[in-house]
Amino acid sequence: MAPSLLALGVFSLLFASASAFILPRGTVNSGLPSGWKYSSCYIDNAHGRIFATQVPDNNGLTVESCINACAEQGFSISGMEFGVQCFCGNQLINGATTAPDDDCSTPCGGSGSESCGGPNRLSVYSKGGVDVLPVPTTLTTGLPGNWKYSGCIKEPANGQRTFPYQIINTNNNSVTACLNQCAKFGYPAAGLEFGDECWCGDVSDATNNSGGTAPDTACNIACSGDPVHNCGAGNLLSYYTYEGGLNTWHQPANTGRYEFLIGGVVVPLVVTLGINNKIAMVEKFGTSEYANSTGAYELDLSMVDDFDKAWHTMHVKSDVFCSASIVLPDKGARQLNIGGWSFESTQGVRLYTPDGSPGVPGTNDWEENFNELHLQRQRWYPTALVLVNGSILVMGGEVGSNGAPEPSLEILPTPPGGPTWKFLDYLNRTDPNNLYPYLINLPSGRIFVGYYNEARILDPNTLDTVQVLPNIPGSVTSFLAGRTYPMEGSAVTFPQHAPYTDPMTVLICGGSNFGVALDNCVTIQPEVPNAQWTIERMPSKRAMPCMAALPDGTFLIVNGAQQGVAGFGLGADPNLQALLYDPSQPLGSRISILNTTIVARMYHSEATLLYDGRVLISGSDPQTPGLPEEMRIEVYYPPYLTDGRQQPSFTIDETDWSYGSQHQIKVTLHEGGTSTMRVSLVAATSSTHGNAMGSRTIFPEFSCNGDTCTITAPPNAKICPPGWHQLFVLDGPTPSFSHWVRIGGDPGRLGEWPNFSDFTLPGS
C-alpha cells in the first residue's frame, strides 16, 4: 500500500528535524568532559590568531586530549588545527569568524576518525557559549593619568632595544597595567611589544634609540591580558608618553662644591664625629691592606694644613672590619663599636671616650677586653641602636668571615640570667640580603626594622613583631630588589618639627636588584593606618649611596655605584654626582642635582656632617680593577655655604638638657632677623656602609626676645631618644657652627658600664 501524503509529510518533517542535529563528519560528541561540546569550524589568522594560548604540538593529538589539556588549565574553549596543534582560551579573539564545517576535515594525528581543524582552520569545542572578541585596536582614550598615545615605533636595527627596562607579562599584559607600572617608578615613556612585553624608560630613549616610526596598523598584536587592544608587534612598539613629566629634578645655579681636604692614612670603614669635633675612624685591623695599620685614627679638622698634626694614631685590639658603631648618651659621649671580622672580634665590644679639642691632642684610646666584655653572639655586619629606655639594641649579622647567618638580636648591657639573645625568623629567612638592617625609634616608642625588601615594627619591651609593613618596593622590573647589604641603600628619617604631631616618615634611597642598581627613593609613614610606600625616582642609579642629614632639614646624597652590589669587586661605574633631597617639597620635586667629584667612592665610603655645616666625604675600598683604595678626604660645601652669606653664630651655657626643659642662647645673625631664624638638632651618628646609625633631625620650639632666644627641648624619649645632638641656628638658609647638647640624660646608666678598672667610666 502506498504511503499517504500525510505520512510522507510527517516523515519529511522528522527527517529535516533529525538532520539539524547531525554533527559534521569527524566531530566528537561523546567521551568528552562534562559540559563540553562541538561549537563550529573557525577561520584562524583572518585578522590574527584567534586563541591566545597554544599547547605544544602533539603528533598523537585527539579531540579528547586537547580538550583535557585545556580543561586542566582552567580554560573553557579548545581548538584543534592542522591535525597536531591544540589551542586554549576563554574567548576567541581577533574578530574570529566561522567557516564551513567541511573546512575542518584534517584528521587528528592520534585518531584518523576525528577531525582536528585544517590549514588556518580550527575545530572549536567549548564548555558553555563561545564569546568572540573584536579585532583589537590601539588604545588611545581613557588612558591613566596624563598618558597619551604617541605612535607605533620601530626597535633599532642594530639589535639593541629602544628602552632599558623590560617586563614580560605572559598572560596579563595590558596598556593600562604597563603605563601604571612605568609611571609608578617615574618613567614617562612606555612601549608595548609582542603582545606580552612592557618597556619603560624616558622620552630621550625613544628619540635617541628607536628605529623610527611605523604605521599605527603595524602594531597589531593583541595584548596578552587585554585582547581587544594592541600591544605592539614583532620589533614594533606601541609607544606612549606622559604629558608634563613625572619628575622635577631641580638644577639650581648654586650647586655647592666638592673640595679636597687632606690626604688620608687608611680607608676608614666607620666614621664618627665626636663631641670633641674630631673625626674618629676605624678600619680593618689584621686584614688591612696596610701592614702598619693600627686599625684606628682620629682627624683634627683644625690642623688639616699640617698632615702630621692632623692625624692622631689610635689602636684597637681586634679586627673591626665591618663592625658597627653608635654614640652613647653618657656624659662622655663615648663611641661604642661592636662586632667584627672573625673569631673573638665578631663578639668584640670596644669603647672610646673622645677627648682633646680642635688643635689640642687627646690622649684617650679605644678600650677593649674580650675576657671581661663581649657580645653574646658572633656578629659581622650588625646594626646597633640606643633605645628610648637608654639600653642598646644589637641586631643581625653573620658569624664572621662570610660565615653562617646570625639572625638574632640582643641587648647591651647584657641582662643577667644567662643567654638573653632572641632568634629572629625573618632575618633567618632573608639571609644573606639583610645585613646592616635599618633600626629606627618611632615616636610611639616602637622600633622600625628594615631588612632586604621587608619592614616591620617591634614592641620596645618584648621586641616581638607587632606589625608587618608592606614589602619595600624594588625596581620597575622586579619586586625582589633589596635595600640592605649587600644590595645596600641608605636610610634616614624626615625631620620632626614641634609640636611633633606629624607622623614620622622613613626615607630609603638606592639599593640593587642583584646587580642592577636602583634609581629610586621610597618613603613610608610606618605608624599611620594602612601605611604604604611611595616611590620617587632619582636622576641616576645608585647602589652603596651615603646620605648625610644637613642642619636645614635636607639630605645630601653622595657616593655609590651605578652598577653592582656592595662587596669587594662587585661594583662598577661610580656615581660622581651629588644630590640634595628636600622633604619639604612635594613628592616628585624633592631632588636637586648638585655638583660632581672626580673621586670614585663606592664600597666602604661614608658621608659625615661636620660642626661647620660641611660634609666630610671619605673612603672607597672597592678592589675593582681601575679603581684605587681611596684615602683622599674631601668635604662637600652644600649650597647654603656657597651663596655668599655669612654664617650666624650663637653662644650657649647649658648643654645638658632634660626633656621639656628650656634653655637660652644668644644669637648673632648677619643676613636676617629672628623671625626667619630656625633652630635644628642633628643627632650624633656613626656611619658605616651608608648606614648612619642613630640619625635623627629635630626642629624644636623656640622664641626670641631681641637676640636672646629660648629653646624648648623635645618632650620625651619617644620623640627624641636620649643622646647627643649638634645644635644649629639657621639665619635663613645658612647654618651656624654647631654646639653639642645632650638631651634626655642617660636613663640606661651606660656611663657606669662596664664596671671594670681598665674601662673609662664617664658617668651618667
Side-chain angles (χ1 to χ4, degrees):
M1 179 178 176
S4 68
L5 291 176
L6 177 61
L8 286 173
V10 171
F11 175 80
S12 299
L13 180 61
L14 290 173
F15 179 82
S17 299
S19 65
F21 294 94
I22 295 174
L23 294 171
R25 183 173 57 84
T27 57
V28 178
N29 62 359
S30 63
L32 302 179
S34 176
W36 284 81
K37 64 181 180 179
Y38 176 73
S39 174
S40 188
C41 179
Y42 278 85
I43 300 171
D44 197 18
N45 263 329
H47 309 288
R49 306 308 295 265
I50 66 171
F51 279 95
T53 302
Q54 181 175 4
V55 175
D57 289 0
N58 178 9
N59 289 329
L61 185 72
T62 64
V63 170
E64 295 88 344
S65 68
C66 181
I67 291 175
N68 285 330
C70 293
E72 288 173 358
Q73 298 181 59
F75 293 110
S76 61
I77 305 176
S78 177
M80 306 96 214
E81 187 171 4
F82 289 112
V84 296
Q85 294 181 341
C86 175
F87 297 85
C88 306
N90 290 315
Q91 308 95 15
L92 299 184
I93 60 176
N94 283 320
T97 57
T98 59
D101 288 322
D102 288 344
D103 284 7
C104 288
S105 58
T106 299
C108 297
S111 175
S113 64
E114 299 179 3
S115 294
C116 284
N120 290 318
R121 296 294 187 271
L122 282 149
S123 299
V124 173
Y125 291 74
S126 67
K127 183 178 182 179
V130 175
D131 293 328
V132 177
L133 300 181
V135 176
T137 59
T138 298
L139 185 61
T140 60
T141 60
L143 300 173
N146 292 331
W147 286 98
K148 70 171 185 177
Y149 175 67
S150 295
C152 179
I153 62 174
K154 303 174 184 177
E155 290 281 25
N158 58 8
Q160 301 299 309
R161 294 293 192 174
T162 299
F163 295 113
Y165 300 109
Q166 180 193 40
I167 307 159
I168 297 179
N169 297 314
T170 303
N171 297 313
N172 60 348
N173 201 36
S174 71
V175 173
T176 298
C178 179
L179 301 187
N180 283 336
Q181 180 72 356
C182 293
K184 179 180 179 181
F185 285 86
Y187 299 104
L192 298 104
E193 187 171 4
F194 288 114
D196 62 359
E197 296 181 9
C198 169
W199 292 83
C200 301
D202 292 300
V203 173
S204 59
D205 293 322
T207 302
N208 298 332
N209 302 334
S210 79
T213 60
D216 288 345
T217 54
C219 285
N220 57 12
I221 294 182
C223 303
S224 63
D226 179 17
V228 301
H229 293 115
N230 289 317
C231 284
N235 291 314
L236 294 174
L237 293 150
S238 298
Y239 175 43
Y240 293 82
T241 55
Y242 198 94
E243 290 188 307
L246 290 164
N247 314 284
T248 301
W249 296 320
H250 306 288
Q251 300 185 56
N254 176 20
T255 60
R257 69 176 186 271
Y258 282 92
E259 190 173 281
F260 173 75
L261 182 67
I262 190 173
V265 290
V266 292
V267 177
L269 269 65
V270 184
V271 180
T272 309
L273 176 67
I275 63 166
N276 58 358
N277 282 334
K278 298 181 182 183
I279 299 291
M281 300 177 174
V282 297
E283 74 115 6
K284 293 175 286 186
F285 175 63
T287 52
S288 174
E289 286 81 2
Y290 314 105
N292 62 346
S293 172
T294 61
Y297 298 86
E298 191 172 60
L299 173 62
D300 187 336
L301 296 165
S302 71
M303 304 295 289
V304 293
D305 291 333
D306 188 327
F307 182 91
D308 292 333
K309 292 182 179 179
W311 288 104
H312 171 55
T313 300
M314 302 176 69
H315 308 81
V316 292
K317 296 179 181 178
S318 60
D319 197 341
V320 295
F321 176 22
C322 295
S323 57
S325 286
I326 53 173
V327 177
L328 300 183
D330 59 32
K331 286 186 176 179
R334 285 182 300 172
Q335 298 169 22
L336 169 72
N337 179 270
I338 56 163
W341 161 245
S342 62
F343 303 112
E344 288 186 357
S345 70
T346 60
Q347 293 178 268
V349 177
R350 311 163 191 91
L351 290 156
Y352 165 58
T353 306
D355 66 334
S357 59
V360 179
T363 59
N364 291 346
D365 208 337
W366 286 92
E367 299 170 342
E368 177 181 5
N369 187 328
F370 180 85
N371 294 324
E372 295 174 342
L373 180 65
H374 58 265
L375 298 173
Q376 296 182 64
R377 308 294 293 178
Q378 294 178 272
R379 299 189 187 276
W380 188 46
Y381 293 99
T383 299
L385 177 71
V386 176
L387 299 177
V388 297
N389 66 1
S391 61
I392 303 159
L393 172 64
V394 179
M395 179 182 286
E398 295 180 341
V399 298
S401 307
N402 296 302
E406 183 48 61
S408 68
L409 60 78
E410 61 182 279
I411 295 293
L412 288 175
T414 303
T420 56
W421 59 274
K422 187 182 186 75
F423 174 79
L424 304 175
D425 65 304
Y426 49 90
L427 291 189
N428 188 56
R429 172 173 48 79
T430 54
D431 178 78
N433 299 316
N434 57 32
L435 303 180
Y436 283 132
Y438 303 130
L439 296 178
I440 297 168
N441 288 304
L442 297 172
S444 66
R446 301 187 298 178
I447 304 160
F448 171 91
V449 185
Y451 55 97
Y452 178 38
N453 65 353
E454 299 181 9
R456 63 185 57 220
I457 299 174
L458 306 184
D459 180 274
N461 299 311
T462 65
L463 301 176
D464 291 331
T465 298
V466 294
Q467 183 179 352
V468 176
L469 296 167
N471 276 19
I472 305 171
S475 72
V476 68
T477 60
S478 176
F479 62 89
L480 296 175
R483 303 285 180 168
T484 51
Y485 185 96
M487 308 302 176
E488 197 174 310
S490 186
V492 294
T493 60
F494 278 17
Q496 299 167 270
H497 296 262
Y500 314 109
T501 54
D502 292 335
M504 175 175 278
T505 300
V506 175
L507 167 68
I508 305 175
C509 290
S512 183
N513 180 23
F514 295 89
V516 179
L518 303 185
D519 65 353
N520 61 63
C521 297
V522 293
T523 54
I524 193 171
Q525 294 179 331
E527 297 195 291
V528 303
N530 191 33
Q532 299 294 323
W533 293 92
T534 61
I535 303 170
E536 186 168 17
R537 188 178 167 201
M538 295 189 291
S540 56
K541 295 184 287 187
R542 201 180 295 255
M544 298 174 280
C546 300
M547 283 201 290
L550 301 182
D552 64 351
T554 63
F555 299 95
L556 183 70
I557 304 174
V558 293
N559 303 352
Q562 298 186 80
Q563 180 181 336
V565 297
F568 292 132
L570 301 179
D573 193 8
N575 196 321
L576 306 177
Q577 184 85 63
L579 302 175
L580 189 71
Y581 187 98
D582 186 352
S584 69
Q585 297 301 309
L587 185 70
S589 300
R590 293 172 176 164
I591 294 176
S592 295
I593 299 173
L594 300 186
N595 222 320
T596 57
T597 181
I598 61 170
V599 181
R601 297 192 186 274
M602 301 198 307
Y603 189 45
H604 291 161
S605 63
E606 304 303 331
T608 305
L609 175 66
L610 301 179
Y611 57 85
D612 56 11
R614 297 178 298 170
V615 177
L616 188 87
I617 311 293
S618 62
S620 191
D621 185 24
Q623 298 189 16
T624 297
L627 297 174
E629 303 298 293
E630 187 55 68
M631 293 186 288
R632 289 173 291 179
I633 307 293
E634 295 174 283
V635 286
Y636 197 88
Y637 287 77
Y640 55 55
L641 293 179
T642 57
D643 61 358
R645 298 172 184 260
Q646 185 176 351
Q647 289 183 259
S649 61
F650 69 98
T651 58
I652 183 171
D653 294 325
E654 299 171 336
T655 58
D656 202 350
W657 298 1
S658 59
Y659 292 118
S661 60
Q662 293 187 324
H663 305 273
Q664 289 188 342
I665 61 173
K666 192 174 184 64
V667 301
T668 300
L669 308 179
H670 305 286
E671 306 294 338
T674 55
S675 62
T676 58
M677 189 186 91
R678 291 182 293 164
V679 173
S680 65
L681 293 159
V682 181
T685 63
S686 289
S687 180
T688 184
H689 294 72
N691 191 336
M693 299 180 193
S695 177
R696 209 176 191 94
T697 303
I698 295 173
F699 284 84
E701 178 187 351
F702 73 94
S703 61
C704 296
N705 183 6
D707 60 1
T708 299
C709 298
T710 302
I711 303 171
T712 301
N716 55 57
K718 295 177 181 179
I719 297 298
C720 176
W724 288 86
H725 298 73
Q726 293 189 72
L727 173 65
F728 289 93
V729 165
L730 293 110
D731 184 359
T734 311
S736 64
F737 283 37
S738 69
H739 289 264
W740 286 99
V741 297
R742 184 172 73 145
I743 303 175
D746 181 14
R749 307 189 73 82
L750 297 174
E752 302 166 21
W753 166 85
N755 190 16
F756 298 106
S757 60
D758 49 348
F759 284 88
T760 300
L761 299 181
S764 298

